[in-house]
Amino acid sequence: MEFAELIKTPRADNVVLHRPFHPAVEGTLCLTGHHLIFSSRRRDNAEELWLLHSNIDSIEKRFVGSLGTIVIKCKDLRIIQLDIPGMEECLNIASSIEALSTLDSVTLMYPFFYRPMFEVLEDGWSSFLLEQEFEHLSSVTNEWRLSCVNKDFSVCPSYPPVVIVPKCIDDEALRKVALFRYGGRFPVLSYYHKKNGMAMLRSSQPLTGTNGRRCKEDEKLINATLRSGRRGFVIDTRPLNVAQQARAKGGGFEQEVHYPQWRRIHKYIERFNILQESFIKLVEACNDQSHNMDRWLSKLEASNWLTHIKELLTAACLAAQCIDREGASVLVHGSEGTDSTLQVTSLAQIILDPRCRTIRGFEALVVREWLQAGHPFQQRCAQSAYSNSKQKWEAPVFLLFLECVWQIHRQFPCSFEFNEHFLILLFEHAYASQFGTFLGNNESERAKLKLPQKTMSLWSWVNRPEELSRFENPIYEANSLVIWPSVAPQSLQLWEGIFLRWNRPSRFLEEAEEERINIIKYNKELQAKVNVLRRQLAEMETDGEVQGEE
Amino acid sequence: VENVRLLDRLSSRRAVVGTLYLTATHVIFVENGSETRKETWVLHSQISSIEKQATTATGCPLLIRCKNFQVIHLVIPQERDCHDVYISLIRLARPVKYEELYCFSFNPKLDKEEREQGWKLVDLNEEYNRMGVPNNYWQISDVNRDYGVCDSYPTEVYVPKSATAHIIVGSSKFRSRRRFPALSYYCKGNNASICRSSQPLSGFSARCLEDEQMLQAIRKANPGSDFIYVVDTRPKLNAMANRAAGKGYENEDNYSNIKFQFIGIENIHVMRNSLQKMLEVCELKSPSMSDFLWGLENSGWLKHIKAIMDAGIFIAKAVAEEGVSVLVHCSDGWDRTAQVCSVASLLLDPYYRTMKGFMVLIEKDWVSFGHKFNHRYGNLDGDPKEISPVIDQFIECVWQLMEQFPCAFEFNERFLIHIQHHIYSCQFGNFLCNSQKERRELKIKERTYSLWAHLWKNRADYLNPLYRSDHSQTQGTLHPQIAPCNFLYKFWSGMYNRFEKGLHPRQSVTDYLMAVKEETQQLEEELEVLQERLANLEKSQSGNKVKSKQQDRSKQFGLYTSNNSLANTPQEYSSDLKSFPSRSPSQGDEDSALILTQDNLKSSDPDLSANSDQESGVEDLSCRSPSGGGCLPSEDSGKDSDEAVFLAG
């Protein structure tokens, strides 16, 4: 298909761009296959705005006389308004944008056309292989093995080709367990706590059904992670009644009789449409222009967003507590094991593992616990908070995870190597990107699409030193310990960097950030200077001594 | 009283056993723990309420709520002891004479001269001179020399030059409590000013020629403008109701060239109830997000804060942008008027955003103009209906501004919190009594010490590392966003949950940056020394041995690199777990939720508290403060008491 067919009017002049907290600018609007480009005509201060069509969440048009206005609402929550003279032009542009922003074929997406302007130093597609992770693990324990049972994605379509499982469980047993778990997602290693050798596993729900089916291999598998005489915890992300209801549909939960060494804890982490509605309500409240203080707080409350944050953090802390403080192994699952399960396991690692608080470690975590673990990014991030369509697959699951990380970051501002911008970057790229990293719903789909061959990885770009420096936290000091966040309502705040990003004056906050960076930078410069002088002085002094002796 | 248990509100498992002492000035709780013997000191004057709860199997609970938002939950084994403590505290917390207050016995070991110097640190005469008065338009009036005209005003008051004593006295008779219009802030740049007064006694139709002349004189003192704003900070309905009592507001028809404006800030009773409601929310045991947000909204607190800010913003805009003078009043002109005038001054003049300037501002708009500290903050036993968090609200307004303009203030959050603390502590004489007159009669300056000198001495602890006097945010008027950014007003947990460190960020960016800045300064000094020494060496190549006294810098400076975090242990994340069976049957329902932390932890980690320090990433507690010493500046100089309990927590 030619994009040109979809572009009815490729260019319009005398267009006026309106953005909150910016003066209106007049300029030229151009449409290309993947971008909406606005460039101001002012010679002195030429300004360009490039917007990916895939970033456009919804578009509205209205007319006053022959002046048309298009309001574009983006997946990164920004809202811009374009005044376009000429009714026909405006209609053409609006319908072109609509068509281009809702392409249904993945292979037409920008990542397949994007040609990087930078030199690739390291191919991000192979930066974070599970084999490397396993090597790391093997240096501390030999109780685990890499299994290639899923190498052709036949055992579990949403798992990666290789997974880490207890050494004593062979591939044959894994195949049997896969049949006993929803979607074939048998328990695999998510995290190994070196400090005490405890493990965190994740899976999907067991298919016990109404007649209490059991699977000996499943029991053996998860029991293999226990120390003799010790118990483990199953953290089910559904409340008990939901888990019970799931039995009617063939699902279920681990029953005490068959898993006597495991204690089950039910948490309640909301799913899909509830989260999406909450997201929409919150963004609505943030964009509300009314003046009343009370309405703001009640809308914030009514959105329930922060309640989800609190519940999620609590569940993650609980998992971490079981592992670190109780010295117990943990199995986490919900229904499918692709959403709330991953939120809990990845956040628990942020709390427990200092490596995950570095830039590279966090990237590895996102790759391992989200991309390879089969979180269906394409379904979940197809639309953002402005979408009108009522598709049931969209949900801000990944955004919630990022926000929880931000909440912990806020409480431990010196313990993370990356800054808030890094989290915002991941949010943006999960929803719209020139890179192929977040395309597809799992590794199997990515392999079929040949993403590593045909698209560029986000990591290839972001890990270049010149990009990385933008995401470094100036006040980072490696903290090797477990960090326990507070989950009290007083300790949780709205993530302004995402939700108020486009509708608050940010100048003063940016200045403060700059000031922080400068304080650290100046300190480091002085440190370096002092070191040089000290060395010089020492050299001269020894020289002097030598001369003196001569 | 021995064997008293001090409960941690957030987690019942962290109760500690110790001994409770009552002294003439403090309640002291000393932990039994052999090594640390942590002490919690609470000044009697901080106590806001004491509640004796129903006796339980473990003892008799006593709940002490403090004005600095500390809540102390004690369990005393014997009911009789508890009752005695209760009765004593009730008496001790409500002194009837000023002489009983702590400041008359508090001695920071300063000699007489140092004390006098301390009182001279903030000098209002100097301040008015800094503003640029007296000048062609404004003069000092001695009409209130012996408090003859208005006993709640200071003796030295600035008035327009054209306002004669006759006019002033006449006007004062037409104003509640004779609080006539006087200068609060003068803007050198454009002659616009902020004046303050109480409401006029206008009733439904009364007029007063002198009062009208007084307002005229204020207008004339600003030749650049042909009118003045009269801002009544009350809701219109309240002001109208006052007319029935012979009070009220200015009628635009009677006063020439005024523009009258209501800005509805609620009265002290509404504010007292609002704070009460908000504190109830803060005290909830494990509130859900909805409970908290709903309660916060229902308290109306942030709405009131915004109303005060909006009034201040309106006035600052009138003065700075329109060049129009403003007369502000409410009813008596000592609560809302003080709030609004000081917020406006703070927005207008960068000087008030410095540490010294902020002290001056409080001295000017609050202390000298007769804000009734004694009544509002209940220093002496009095009418509970007079108590209201008026200056607390002002302090919060400053904090809200600091959040929006992180580089604009020389001082940090801790400075505000400590000022709030001492407004209630009665440890220093600054905020005693209801007026300057009463303070002079009590000879406060001879008999007590000044808080400002104390804060100034420890100013290193109160610095905002992001402040630079040459930064653009530091210059000129601040322009906060008004609408539609309601979300800019946030709950201040650093104040209202001040003593629950577990709720706060565990690492302080401010302290970290202060430590870095201090190191930077030392590096600068070292750099200079090294350069000098190098130059000398180069001069004398002959090889004179220069004794190098290399410091072990890595050790010295490595300090700051350790984390600024406070003790950090997991909360009770599983507290809502009803379905989770307890392993020890003896524990009640409530405790079954604590299974994860209760039994297993006790067996595996016998010393949780020692472990918790480890967990937090604090290798050495002493590194947190830039000054290297105790991380929290001493409030009670020497006995930094009420916070000590959290040091090793």
Side-chain angles (χ1 to χ4, degrees), chain B residues 540-610:
Chain B
S540 52
Q541 282 282 348
S542 58
N544 284 342
K545 247 193 194 172
V546 184
K547 193 128 199 173
S548 155
K549 53 169 200 202
Q550 280 268 350
Q551 295 160 306
D552 188 355
R553 303 204 66 98
S554 62
K555 198 170 176 190
Q556 189 179 345
F557 292 126
L559 279 182
Y560 84 88
T561 59
S562 78
N563 276 294
N564 298 316
S565 54
L566 275 154
N568 174 34
T569 47
Q571 292 188 346
E572 289 162 8
Y573 301 116
S574 53
S575 61
D576 57 334
L577 263 177
K578 288 281 183 274
S579 61
F580 198 54
S582 163
R583 257 188 259 179
S584 57
S586 65
Q587 277 161 347
D589 253 336
E590 200 204 346
D591 282 350
S592 71
L594 308 176
I595 172 98
L596 282 175
T597 43
Q598 288 278 337
D599 37 43
N600 264 20
L601 278 185
K602 268 182 194 149
S603 58
S604 59
D605 294 326
D607 190 4
L608 245 182
S609 69

Side-chain angles (χ1 to χ4, degrees), chain A residues 326 481 515 522-523 534, chain B residues 468 519 524 553 596 614:
Chain A
E326 291 290 293
L481 303 166
E515 206 59 29
Y522 180 55
N523 176 277
R534 256 191 237 150
Chain B
R468 264 194 294 124
E519 192 208 46
E524 274 171 346
R553 303 204 66 98
L596 282 175
Q614 264 291 307

Side-chain angles (χ1 to χ4, degrees), chain A residues 21 195 230 233 263-267 286 288-298 300-301 304 306-307 310-311 314 317-318 321-322 324-326 410-415 474-479 481-493 496 500 503-505 507-509 511-512 515-516 519-520 522-523 526-527 529-530 533-534 536-537 540-541 544-545 547-548, chain B residues 282 287-290 292-294 296-297 302-303 306 403-407 465-466 468 471-473 481 483-487 489-491 493 497 502-503 505-507 509 512-513 516-517 519-520 523-524 526-527 530-531 533-534 537-538 541 543 545-546 548 550 553 560-561 563-564 568-571 573-574 576-577 580-581 583 596-597 600-601 604-605 608 611 614-617:
Chain A
F21 299 103
K195 192 168 136 193
R230 300 297 296 263
F233 292 89
R263 188 177 290 275
R264 218 175 52 244
I265 305 177
H266 289 276
K267 294 302 275 180
C286 293
D288 182 22
Q289 304 284 309
S290 73
H291 297 203
N292 192 322
M293 188 74 215
D294 275 5
R295 294 232 330 260
W296 159 245
L297 281 174
S298 64
L300 179 62
E301 192 267 321
N304 267 328
L306 287 170
T307 301
K310 181 168 153 56
E311 293 308 321
T314 307
C317 289
L318 181 69
Q321 199 177 4
C322 290
D324 186 68
R325 291 309 182 95
E326 291 290 293
R410 209 185 67 82
Q411 295 186 29
F412 295 88
C414 306
S415 298
I475 55 173
Y476 171 63
E477 293 285 344
N479 174 359
L481 303 166
V482 177
I483 54 175
W484 299 107
S486 161
V487 296
Q490 288 97 320
S491 311
L492 303 179
Q493 284 191 358
E496 297 182 15
L500 305 178
N503 40 14
R504 67 170 175 183
R507 199 186 100 211
F508 305 116
L509 303 177
E511 283 173 358
E515 206 59 29
R516 258 172 240 134
I519 289 172
I520 303 290
Y522 180 55
N523 176 277
L526 273 183
Q527 192 95 59
K529 267 192 210 159
V530 166
L533 283 189
R534 256 191 237 150
Q536 273 183 18
L537 198 63
M540 286 182 74
E541 274 170 1
E545 278 168 40
Q547 279 173 16
Chain B
C282 296
S288 73
M289 205 70 219
S290 295
F292 178 73
L293 289 175
W294 190 86
L296 188 59
E297 159 164 347
L302 288 174
K303 191 177 68 185
K306 185 171 185 294
E403 287 285 290
Q404 292 179 39
F405 301 93
C407 307
L466 300 179
R468 264 194 294 124
H471 193 283
S472 64
Q473 265 185 55
Q481 283 292 322
C485 302
N486 292 315
F487 39 68
Y489 294 90
K490 291 180 243 171
F491 172 73
S493 71
N497 286 110
L503 299 180
R506 311 307 168 87
Q507 297 174 320
V509 177
Y512 182 91
L513 288 176
V516 171
K517 278 188 105 167
E519 192 208 46
T520 302
L523 282 171
E524 274 171 346
E526 193 189 349
L527 193 66
L530 285 173
Q531 275 165 345
R533 215 189 285 162
L534 262 176
L537 259 179
E538 273 162 10
Q541 282 282 348
K545 247 193 194 172
V546 184
S548 155
Q550 280 268 350
R553 303 204 66 98
Y560 84 88
T561 59
N563 276 294
N564 298 316
N568 174 34
T569 47
Q571 292 188 346
Y573 301 116
S574 53
D576 57 334
L577 263 177
F580 198 54
R583 257 188 259 179
L596 282 175
T597 43
N600 264 20
L601 278 185
S604 59
D605 294 326
L608 245 182
N611 200 26
Q614 264 291 307
E615 214 52 72
S616 65

Side-chain angles (χ1 to χ4, degrees), chain A residues 95-349:
Chain A
S95 67
S96 310
I97 295 175
E98 227 165 282
L100 290 165
S101 60
T102 52
L103 298 175
D104 49 5
S105 167
V106 183
T107 51
L108 291 177
M109 304 292 269
Y110 187 50
F112 288 92
F113 299 83
Y114 171 69
R115 292 292 161 260
M117 303 291 282
F118 58 86
E119 191 194 344
V120 177
L121 303 172
E122 175 194 351
D123 182 9
W125 287 112
S126 48
S127 290
F128 306 102
L129 300 176
L130 201 64
E131 285 83 351
Q132 293 161 2
E133 191 62 28
F134 182 71
E135 223 165 88
H136 187 77
L137 179 69
S138 310
S139 64
V140 286
T141 171
N142 58 2
E143 292 165 352
W144 302 86
R145 69 180 185 92
L146 265 187
S147 164
C148 298
V149 68
N150 197 39
K151 64 177 180 296
D152 50 4
F153 305 106
S154 58
V155 176
C156 172
S158 61
Y159 268 1
V162 284
V163 290
I164 301 175
V165 293
K167 199 168 203 169
C168 54
I169 307 295
D170 60 25
D171 283 355
E172 204 40 52
L174 290 178
R175 281 194 191 92
K176 283 187 186 150
V177 178
L179 294 174
F180 181 64
R181 293 274 173 180
Y182 185 94
R185 295 176 68 90
F186 54 88
V188 296
L189 181 73
S190 162
Y191 170 67
Y192 181 82
H193 197 46
K194 267 182 248 150
K195 192 168 136 193
N196 58 9
M198 290 303 133
M200 179 160 60
L201 305 173
R202 55 176 157 76
S203 70
S204 60
Q205 63 179 340
L207 302 174
T208 56
T210 39
N211 48 8
R213 213 157 68 92
R214 65 187 286 196
C215 170
K216 284 271 169 58
E217 288 79 7
D218 189 75
E219 291 156 27
K220 194 178 160 212
L221 195 166
I222 69 168
N223 284 340
T225 65
L226 294 177
R227 294 270 180 282
S228 62
R230 300 297 296 263
R231 291 182 192 229
F233 292 89
V234 175
I235 295 181
D236 193 324
T237 61
R238 305 163 294 177
L240 182 62
N241 63 324
V242 175
Q244 277 163 344
Q245 283 158 17
R247 287 190 296 195
K249 292 181 198 154
F253 52 88
E254 293 80 0
Q255 273 163 327
E256 285 84 356
V257 262
H258 304 316
Y259 300 86
Q261 288 166 285
W262 292 80
R263 188 177 290 275
R264 218 175 52 244
I265 305 177
H266 289 276
K267 294 302 275 180
Y268 190 10
I269 297 177
E270 285 291 0
R271 294 155 46 87
F272 313 130
N273 55 333
I274 306 276
L275 296 181
Q276 185 69 9
E277 270 167 36
S278 180
F279 185 33
I280 291 171
K281 272 192 202 158
L282 175 65
V283 171
E284 249 172 43
C286 293
N287 288 332
D288 182 22
Q289 304 284 309
S290 73
H291 297 203
N292 192 322
M293 188 74 215
D294 275 5
R295 294 232 330 260
W296 159 245
L297 281 174
S298 64
K299 283 180 173 173
L300 179 62
E301 192 267 321
S303 78
N304 267 328
W305 183 262
L306 287 170
T307 301
H308 304 319
I309 296 287
K310 181 168 153 56
E311 293 308 321
L312 184 50
L313 269 176
T314 307
C317 289
L318 181 69
Q321 199 177 4
C322 290
I323 293 170
D324 186 68
R325 291 309 182 95
E326 291 290 293
S329 283
V330 170
L331 167 67
V332 184
H333 70 72
S335 304
E336 294 87 358
T338 54
D339 293 281
S340 56
T341 305
L342 305 182
Q343 288 175 323
V344 172
T345 56
S346 54
L347 282 171
Q349 293 179 58

